[in-house]
Amino acid sequence: MSQESAVIVGVGPGLGWSLVRRFAQAGLRVAAAARNRATLDELLRRHAAELPPGSVTAYACDATRPAEVQALFEAVGEAPSVVIYNAGTFEPAGILDITPEQLERCWRIGCLGGFLVGQAAARRMLPRGTGTIIYTGATAALRGSAGFANLAVPKFGLRALAQSMARELGPRGIHVAHVVIDGQIASERYRQLAEQRGPDALLAPDAIAETYYQLHRQPRSAWTLELDLRPWVEKF
């Protein structure tokens, strides 16, 4: 049996890196993609000891550009076993202040990129009749809060995309899942917030990555379309 492979789009020092490490340590060959190749290379260099030798290859890819998504999958070559879309952005602004350019930019990264990556993944998985596609969502996919239109609009769209894909591709052997991240992900940026709230008050990236890995390993007799993750202290 050939070695499994993963394509992870939207790799940074938080959840993206945890996903790369989890799947690589599970024995998969991982293609790690981000818009900034130099930043990604530095991340891999600093954490090389955490990875099996030769398990991860870095790629530059702007997921909003069809040609770059196509080039990424052509460079990977084989049909991946699992593809994860983890890219997103948010530009805070009130509804009266959002510019058309801001809304379009957030939608292109948060939703259009998910479509392009998911479509490219499905085209390669379908001939084999198996594969997993996972999307990173947010609470904003379920409700649009004041001041968060730039996040809610693309996340609503990404959730709708995942639902349509799951219903269309599931009967053909492709597992599509959407994960609602309900809360702040722990990072250096939120260190002070974590100290104020106490232990395990923010989502641990490694814990999220473990859930993604278990989604990929689910038997097809019991697939999950959507699940939500939050810290034990988060109100909902």
Side-chain angles (χ1 to χ4, degrees), residues 6-12 15-17 19-20 30-35 40 59-64 68-69 72-73 76 82-88 109 113-114 116-118 120-121 134-136 212:
V7 176
I8 302 175
V9 178
V11 175
L15 175 57
W17 173 250
L19 291 166
V20 168
V30 178
R35 281 178 293 175
L40 181 54
Y59 295 91
C61 178
D62 182 340
T64 69
E68 293 195 24
V69 173
L72 169 64
F73 280 87
V76 171
V82 56
V83 172
I84 300 173
Y85 190 73
N86 187 57
I109 296 172
L116 294 173
V117 170
I134 303 176
Y135 290 106
T136 297
Y212 280 50

Side-chain angles (χ1 to χ4, degrees), residues 115-139:
F115 162 73
L116 294 173
V117 170
Q119 184 184 64
R123 283 173 171 163
R124 286 156 179 81
M125 292 175 176
L126 280 173
R128 192 176 59 192
T130 184
T132 306
I133 301 171
I134 303 176
Y135 290 106
T136 297
T139 311

Side-chain angles (χ1 to χ4, degrees), residues 166-190:
R167 293 182 171 100
E168 181 175 340
L169 300 177
R172 301 175 71 181
I174 310 303
H175 181 195
V176 180
H178 176 256
V179 182
V180 176
I181 306 298
D182 184 19
Q184 297 288 355
I185 299 176
S187 66
E188 192 64 30
R189 178 182 178 185
Y190 295 111

